[in-house]
Amino acid sequence: MKKQKIIIDCDPGIDDALALMYAIQHPSLDVIAITITPGNVPTSLGVHNALLILEKLNRLDIPVYAGLENPLKRDFVSAQDTHGIDGLGETHFTRQTDTAAQPTSAVDFLADFFQKPTDVSIIALGPLTNIAKALQNNPSLGKHCQRFVSMGGNFKSNGNCSPVAEYNYWCDPHAAQEVFEKLGKSIEMVGLDVTREIVLTPNLLEYTRHLNQETADFIQQITRFYFDFHWEYETIIGCVINDPLAVAYFINPDICAGFSAYTDISTEGIALGQTVIDSHNFYGKPSNAHILTTVNTYSFWKDFLTTLFHAQIDEELVKKFI
């Protein structure tokens, strides 16, 4: 089976770390580069965390590019209250190697890479800051990538950093607005309506110890802080892992369903960062996004666990735990 080539733009982040572990080890994906955007953590810390995951997986051959340090226009507000000061749940892991990010910036790398048509897709797991800036430098970027999947936004679900906004688009709404307006390719929006269905529960986490103790220990360490946050603010027993679903959907689009519509992003006022989705075609504008609204949670967990733990799962037990 021919592997699908992808570039992952991310802001690691607990769920980004899980998504990287998933994508890098998946037999149908070839991660050719990782670009770091400011979001869950500052860019320099995101670089450290991405390299830490690559080191853990013995995949330091994958280049990492550091992106911009701030959103296009608004002040930077990280999500370290959610992910911990270190971005990985206050684990403060140290790296064993001194591998560094590439000398080329993420923006220049993306703009240059997509100067010509390619067979490479982008999975964007954080704010769209790097993508928007690269698009300014190379307006053909969207037309020259195969697919563009973005974890961000929300349709009927409430926001997670305001009543109406999801964090990635709220963090840099001007970048999100610019990408939705100018990418020139349908944005496959994996928003809170579907990611909120992907909850790592204590039962599920405990079950993974029977699959691979070392991997289960690592995941438990980085998600403990996340578990506490979700209980305090959302009264959820477990934690929502948003980003891995974007990877799973890229691999198998049938795992989710939705509809296509014109979508814009609010850049000011109380609706800052809100995805304004014209589901009834009031504006009469061509669709620029595919909005996901339902997800097969079992299909996700089956592939995610099989990939991360290199083991066959007990299907009936997993169904009980999700």
Side-chain angles (χ1 to χ4, degrees), residues 290-321:
H290 187 68
I291 313 300
L292 303 183
T293 56
T294 63
V295 57
N296 184 328
T297 55
Y298 171 70
S299 291
F300 166 80
W301 283 112
K302 180 179 180 181
D303 193 56
F304 180 75
L305 296 176
T306 300
T307 301
L308 260 65
F309 291 90
H310 309 288
Q312 293 297 314
I313 65 169
D314 185 320
E315 298 188 11
E316 295 306 313
L317 272 179
V318 169
K319 287 177 182 177
K320 290 180 181 179
F321 294 155

Side-chain angles (χ1 to χ4, degrees), residues 15 82 151-167 189-201 226 229-230 233-246 256 275 292-297 300-301 322:
D15 56 334
T82 306
M151 190 276 119
N154 50 305
F155 175 45
K156 291 188 175 181
S157 178
N158 60 285
N160 61 2
C161 60
S162 86
V164 297
E166 177 276 330
Y167 172 76
M189 194 186 96
V190 185
L192 296 179
D193 297 79
V194 286
T195 65
R196 274 204 167 106
E197 300 300 315
I198 307 301
V199 180
L200 178 62
T201 64
Y226 218 23
F229 178 89
H230 279 81
Y233 290 97
E234 298 193 24
T235 357
I236 293 173
I237 299 178
C239 61
V240 177
I241 55 170
N242 302 282
D243 293 337
L245 181 59
C256 295
T275 37
L292 303 183
T293 56
T294 63
V295 57
N296 184 328
T297 55
F300 166 80
W301 283 112
I322 61 177

Side-chain angles (χ1 to χ4, degrees), residues 114 117-118 135 139-146 182-185:
F114 292 103
T118 70
L135 190 59
S140 296
L141 182 152
K143 298 173 184 176
H144 290 166
C145 73
Q146 284 290 303
K182 299 179 180 178
L183 187 67
K185 179 178 295 295

Side-chain angles (χ1 to χ4, degrees), residues 2-7 28-32 113 118-123 146-147 250:
K2 184 179 180 181
K3 292 188 175 185
Q4 300 178 81
K5 297 178 181 179
I6 59 170
I7 293 171
S28 70
L29 297 181
D30 179 10
V31 180
I32 65 170
F113 189 90
T118 70
D119 60 351
V120 179
S121 298
I122 296 174
I123 302 179
Q146 284 290 303
R147 290 172 62 192
F250 178 86

Side-chain angles (χ1 to χ4, degrees), residues 11-165:
D11 55 339
I14 293 166
D15 56 334
D16 300 77
L18 295 174
L20 289 174
M21 293 170 68
Y22 181 32
I24 290 166
Q25 297 179 91
H26 202 281
S28 70
L29 297 181
D30 179 10
V31 180
I32 65 170
I34 298 167
T35 54
I36 306 299
T37 193
N40 290 329
V41 294
T43 301
S44 59
L45 187 50
V47 168
H48 167 84
N49 290 344
L51 288 169
L52 186 139
I53 295 300
L54 292 178
E55 183 179 271
K56 179 177 176 60
L57 299 177
N58 195 28
R59 287 301 310 271
L60 286 169
D61 56 297
I62 299 174
V64 175
Y65 297 84
L68 297 175
E69 295 184 355
N70 293 291
L72 295 188
K73 295 183 179 181
R74 69 171 304 211
D75 292 338
F76 175 49
V77 181
S78 78
Q80 286 164 286
D81 60 331
T82 306
H83 294 263
I85 292 300
D86 66 346
L88 293 178
E90 307 287 8
T91 50
H92 300 288
F93 290 121
T94 56
R95 289 163 47 208
Q96 303 304 308
T97 65
D98 59 359
T99 306
Q102 299 295 308
T104 303
S105 73
V107 169
D108 288 343
F109 166 72
L110 290 166
D112 292 344
F113 189 90
F114 292 103
Q115 287 290 341
K116 297 179 180 180
T118 70
D119 60 351
V120 179
S121 298
I122 296 174
I123 302 179
L125 302 178
L128 297 176
T129 308
N130 289 336
I131 307 299
K133 191 64 177 177
L135 190 59
Q136 291 176 2
N137 296 345
N138 173 15
S140 296
L141 182 152
K143 298 173 184 176
H144 290 166
C145 73
Q146 284 290 303
R147 290 172 62 192
F148 188 91
V149 173
S150 170
M151 190 276 119
N154 50 305
F155 175 45
K156 291 188 175 181
S157 178
N158 60 285
N160 61 2
C161 60
S162 86
V164 297

